[in-house]
Amino acid sequence: MSTLTAPALITSETRETPAPDTRVAGFPDAFALLRPYRMNIAVALVLGVAATGVAAAQPLLVASTVDSLRGGIPRDSVVALFALLVASAVLQGLQQLVLQRSAEKLAFDTRERLIRHIYRLPIAVLERRDRGDLVSRITTDVSHTRAILSSGLVELAVSVVAVIISLVMMALIDPVLLGLAVLAVITVIGVLVLIGSRTRPSGLRLQNAVGNLASVMSRALGAMRTIRSTVSTGREAHTAVRYAATALDAGLQVARLRAVIQTFTGMAVQLLLIAVVAAGALRVASGALTVGDLSAFLMYLLLMAAPITMFGGVLSMLGEAFGALTRIKAIEALEPEQDAPAAAVREPLPGAPVFALREVSFRYQGRTTGSDRAPGLALDKITLDFPTGRTTAIVGPSGAGKSTLFALLERFYDPSGGTILHHGHDVRKLPRDHLRSRIAYVEQDAPALSGTIRENLLLGAHDAADDRCLDALRRVNLLPADGSADDFLDAEVGEVGALLSGGERQRLAIARAFLAGSPVLLLDEVTSNLDSTNERVVQDVVKATDGRQTAIVIAHRLSTVVAADLIVVMDQGRVVAQGTHRELLDSCPLYRELAHHQLLD
Ligand SMILES: Nc1ncnc2c1ncn2[C@@H]1O[C@H](COP(=O)(O)OP(=O)(O)OP(=O)(O)O)[C@@H](O)[C@H]1O
C-alpha cells in the first residue's frame, strides 16, 4: 500500500493567478464545444438511428422465423435476416467513422485554439504559470476532451433512441413482461446516474494531478545540472514521485468508480435477463406468448440493455472529459495581450528620441519589496530620453531595474504609471508587433531555441539567405576556424541551447539581432559570458552606431560601454545620473565607485 501523500509544494494550482472561471465544466460547456461539428453530429445521429432501426427489425424477423421453423427452414427470412445484420453493421461502422474523424478534428481545433491563445498570453501571466502544466493541458487534457464526441454524447443520444424503439416493440409483444423490465431498468439507471455524478470531481482531480506532475518534471529537466551538483537528485525525484502518487490516488478513485459502475451494470443486466426469461417461460407455458414472441422480446431487451451497459461507461468517461474541459476553459478564460482599439502604425515625429520615458513607474504583480525609497516599485518615476541613432548604456547595481526597463520598452509589461514614447508616440497607441519588429532584443541569459543554428538565426529574419546568416555569425566571431561554415548552420544547439557554451549562446543571440537589422538594438548584460576577445564584438556595436541604428546596452563591465554616447546610472529603480564616462566620473559617486571596482579610473 502506498504511504506517499501529496506534497505541500507550490504547484500550478497554487502559484498561478486564479483563473476567472474555475467552475467544473458540464453539459452546456460540452454542447458549446460541439456546436461547430453539429453537421457531422447530425449525420452520425442519423446513421446511428438508422443502424438501431435496422437492428430493431431483426427480432421481428427472428420471431416469425422461429414460429415457422416447423414447416422447414424459411430461406427468404434467413436471407433477409442476414441482410439486416450486414446493413446494421455497415451503418454502425459509418457512424463510428464520422464520429472518430470529427473527434480528431475537435482535438486539433481545440489544440490550435489553445496554442494560439497561449502564445498570445501576456508575459506576466505566463510567468505565473507552470510550463509543464500548460503542455499537459494541450496534450493530455485535449485527448480526454475528444472522448465527448468520439464515445460520449452521440452514443448517449442513439442509446435513447434504441431504448425507445425497444420499449415500443416490447409493449406490442407483451405489456406485462415489459412492466417488469421497465421497473428494473429505471432502478438501474437511477443508481448509475448517482454514481456517475461522483466521477466528475475525481476526473478533475486526476487531470490536475497529471498537470502538476508534468510541471514538476519540466522544472527538474530544465535544471538537471543544478539538481545533480547540489546532490538533490533523490529529494527532487521523491517530489516528482509524490506527484505521481497523487495522480495514482486520483486515478485509483476514478478506477474504483468505474469498476463499481461496470460491476453494477453487468450484474443488473444479468438479473434483468434471468427475471424476464423466467417470467417469459411462465407466460409461454400459460399460452399467453409464443416461443417466437419470447425470442423477439429477449432480443429487444438485449438491444435496450446494451446502451444501458454502455451508459455507465460513458458517464464515467464524461466525468474525466469534463474535468479536462474545465482545465482547458480555465486557460481560455485568461485575457490575451491585446492592442488598444486605436493602435496604429504612426510616422515618427521629427526630432523625437527613439524612446522617451516620462515619470515611468512599474510594480511587478504581487510584489511588495523593491527600492527602499518606494517599496514595491521596480521602477520609480523615471524620466529619460534615448537619443535616436546613438548608443546609450545603462549601468547600475544588481536589482536597480535595468532589465525591467527593457521589458517595458518591449511592452512585455505596461507601466503602472507614466508614459513611454516611441518617436514621440505613446507606445500604447502603437501595435505591439510593429513596435517589437523595430527592436532586436538580446536577453540577459540569451536562451537558444532547440533546433539548428540556422533556425535560431532566422527567428528574427525569416527569409535571410545563408550568406547573410554566415555574415552575422562572422561579425560575432562564431564561425568555426576549420571552414565548415555551411555545416555549422545545420548544427543542433540542443534543448535551450545546452550544446553551446554560455558565450556561444550570447554571440548567437547577438548574431540573430544583427541579422534582424532592426533600427533599435537592446543588449542586456551580453558581456557576462564573453571573454575579452569577444567582448570587443560588443564594444564594436557600441561604437558602430552610425546615426541609423540606436543601441541601448545594459552592462556590468563598464569597459564595454565607456565609449557610449550617453551612460545612464540607475539605482533602486531610479535614474541617479546621466552623462558621458568622463562627466560621470566627475559628478556621480556611484559611477565612480563602479568604475573604481573595475579599475577603470
Ligand atoms: N518577473 C519578475 N517578477 C517579480 N519581480 C521581478 C521580476 N523581475 C525582476 N523583478 C524584481 O524587480 C527588481 C528589478 O529587477 P531587474 O531584473 O530589472 O534588475 P537589474 O538591474 O536588471 O538587475 P541585474 O543587474 O541583477 O540583472 C528586482 O527587485 C527584482 O527582484
Side-chain angles (χ1 to χ4, degrees), residues 464-543:
D466 281 3
D467 50 344
R468 280 190 56 213
C469 293
L470 293 173
D471 264 356
L473 292 174
R474 208 165 284 122
R475 272 185 79 185
V476 297
N477 213 10
L478 197 60
L479 274 188
D482 62 7
S484 55
D486 289 337
D487 294 348
F488 188 66
L489 283 178
D490 292 318
E492 291 284 336
V493 302
E495 179 87 6
V496 292
L499 303 182
L500 299 177
S501 75
E504 284 167 344
R505 260 203 312 275
Q506 284 188 325
R507 278 180 285 150
L508 179 60
I510 299 171
R512 178 166 60 218
F514 283 159
L515 195 63
S518 312
V520 185
L521 189 61
L522 302 186
L523 301 183
D524 189 349
E525 293 284 15
V526 287
T527 52
S528 56
N529 281 314
L530 299 184
D531 57 26
S532 50
T533 316
N534 287 315
E535 190 185 334
R536 209 158 300 135
V537 172
V538 180
Q539 282 170 349
D540 289 346
V541 176
V542 172
K543 287 188 200 134

Side-chain angles (χ1 to χ4, degrees), residues 127 364 367 370 378 396-405 413 444 525 556:
E127 276 172 350
Y364 282 103
R367 191 83 187 192
S398 179
K402 305 181 293 291
S403 302
T404 304
L405 186 66
Y413 317 100
Q444 191 166 39
E525 293 284 15
H556 268 168

Side-chain angles (χ1 to χ4, degrees), residues 123-124 127-128 362-367 369-371 376-379 394-407 413 444 524-525 554-556 570 573:
I123 297 283
E127 276 172 350
R128 303 175 82 82
F362 179 70
R363 185 191 306 272
Y364 282 103
Q365 202 184 337
R367 191 83 187 192
T369 54
S371 81
L377 287 184
L379 296 180
I394 306 177
V395 300
S398 179
K402 305 181 293 291
S403 302
T404 304
L405 186 66
F406 272 14
Y413 317 100
Q444 191 166 39
D524 189 349
E525 293 284 15
I554 295 177
H556 268 168
M570 287 185 67

Side-chain angles (χ1 to χ4, degrees), residues 283-307:
R283 297 209 28 99
V284 170
S286 71
L289 215 61
T290 67
V291 175
D293 285 342
L294 180 59
S295 316
F297 191 94
L298 287 173
M299 284 183 77
Y300 282 120
L301 193 63
L302 285 176
L303 196 67
M304 191 172 75

